[in-house]
Amino acid sequence: MKILIVEDETKIGDYLKQGLSEAGFVTDLARNGLDGHHFAMTEPYDLIILDVMLPDVDGWRILQSLREAGRTVPVLFLTARDSVEDRVKGLELGADDYLVKPFAFAELLARVRTLLRRGATIATETTLKVADLELDLMRRRVIRNGQRITLTAKEFALLELLMRRQGEVLPRSLIASQVWDMNFDSDTNVIDVAIRRVRAKIDDDFDTRLIHTVRGMGYMLDVSDEN
Ligand code: CA
């Protein structure tokens, strides 16, 4: 599940990104309205958390553009002003829910999960499937050949990324930024270790290996003939 956060207040943005990634979500953080608008209109997200008060392009404009373009992605807006007009305006523009700042992270997480569940009943893709490996995004379950496999939140996010981009070689730097929110120069050993752990869980006991190391380039998940 991929979530876009549009929030210009550094502390809140970082807090949301960290909390959501610890909860196992892949997140993008836009720190201004212009970037937020661009990401929202060009990248596919399962949910957008949108701050209303942004210095350049405000949250209302972003929401309006999304809905005018026919994009149905659930939007949770954050407002500092606890005014009825604001809430009404947001909901009229097509937001799905709102939270008034300051809010407890647990409450945000509960709202996020509800919106994702609601969105998933409309969207088709709640399960990713490659060969006999299934990832149930809503129930956060992994099943291979009928066997239930337990993954940590990070391992789940890593496997989700690999499965969403089946057949693509993913460089360590991309995996680092998408799953760990680390930059290019960070210690990529973390990724190798995590890949090894995921492999041990989803590949080792099965005939067909799905996660492949592409020397000098990165990792790829696919059903390949060499097995
Ligand atoms: Ca703001």
Side-chain angles (χ1 to χ4, degrees):
M1 292 273 158
K2 195 167 182 192
I3 299 176
L4 172 66
I5 304 158
V6 187
E7 172 59 82
D8 63 310
E9 283 164 73
T10 312
K11 268 172 100 170
I12 300 176
D14 291 344
Y15 169 70
L16 288 176
K17 186 166 173 61
Q18 192 191 340
L20 289 169
S21 71
E22 277 168 11
F25 296 102
V26 173
T27 57
D28 279 341
L29 172 60
R31 295 191 187 273
N32 60 64
L34 214 57
D35 288 348
H37 188 268
H38 175 73
F39 282 135
M41 297 300 284
T42 55
E43 298 279 322
Y45 293 101
D46 298 291
L47 177 78
I48 298 176
I49 298 174
L50 189 59
D51 182 30
V52 168
M53 299 296 286
L54 297 163
D56 42 12
V57 181
D58 70 22
W60 304 133
R61 277 269 309 279
I62 297 174
L63 181 56
Q64 205 165 8
S65 299
L66 275 169
R67 296 309 184 225
E68 279 171 5
R71 291 185 171 238
T72 55
V73 53
V75 172
L76 170 67
F77 72 91
L78 305 177
T79 173
R81 298 173 297 180
D82 186 13
S83 90
V84 177
E85 298 89 81
D86 260 13
R87 279 179 263 162
V88 170
K89 185 177 179 186
L91 297 172
E92 274 178 358
L93 282 173
D96 299 271
D97 203 355
Y98 66 88
L99 265 182
V100 177
K101 291 181 191 173
F103 51 84
F105 184 76
E107 187 180 3
L108 176 110
L109 193 59
R111 302 283 184 99
V112 162
R113 292 204 162 119
T114 303
L115 287 174
L116 287 173
R117 251 195 312 274
R118 206 188 295 165
T121 57
I122 309 161
T124 48
E125 198 182 57
T126 60
T127 308
L128 301 177
K129 244 181 138 168
V130 177
D132 56 355
L133 176 66
E134 279 178 55
L135 208 62
D136 183 333
L137 299 172
M138 291 321 300
R139 295 196 189 86
R140 318 294 295 167
R141 284 208 310 216
V142 187
I143 292 168
R144 180 146 193 205
N145 192 25
Q147 289 180 41
R148 178 88 178 267
I149 296 163
T150 309
L151 297 183
T152 65
K154 282 291 176 212
E155 290 165 359
F156 192 96
L158 173 60
L159 186 59
E160 180 182 345
L161 176 68
L162 287 164
M163 287 180 80
R164 279 193 188 278
R165 306 191 52 175
Q166 179 190 353
E168 272 180 65
V169 180
L170 305 181
R172 286 179 180 77
S173 56
L174 183 138
I175 297 173
S177 69
Q178 293 275 305
V179 180
W180 279 269
D181 191 27
M182 299 188 302
N183 57 39
F184 186 80
D185 299 323
S186 301
D187 180 11
T188 53
N189 186 41
V190 176
I191 290 139
D192 299 331
V193 170
I195 288 274
R196 216 175 300 144
R197 280 204 312 264
V198 173
R199 263 188 176 143
K201 291 179 180 179
I202 72 142
D203 267 349
D204 283 3
D205 298 337
F206 301 90
D207 295 337
T208 312
R209 297 186 75 81
L210 294 174
I211 299 175
H212 307 276
T213 306
V214 184
R215 295 256 170 262
M217 293 179 75
Y219 295 101
M220 175 178 78
L221 187 143
D222 209 356
V223 191
S224 101
D225 299 335
E226 49 190 278
N227 289 293

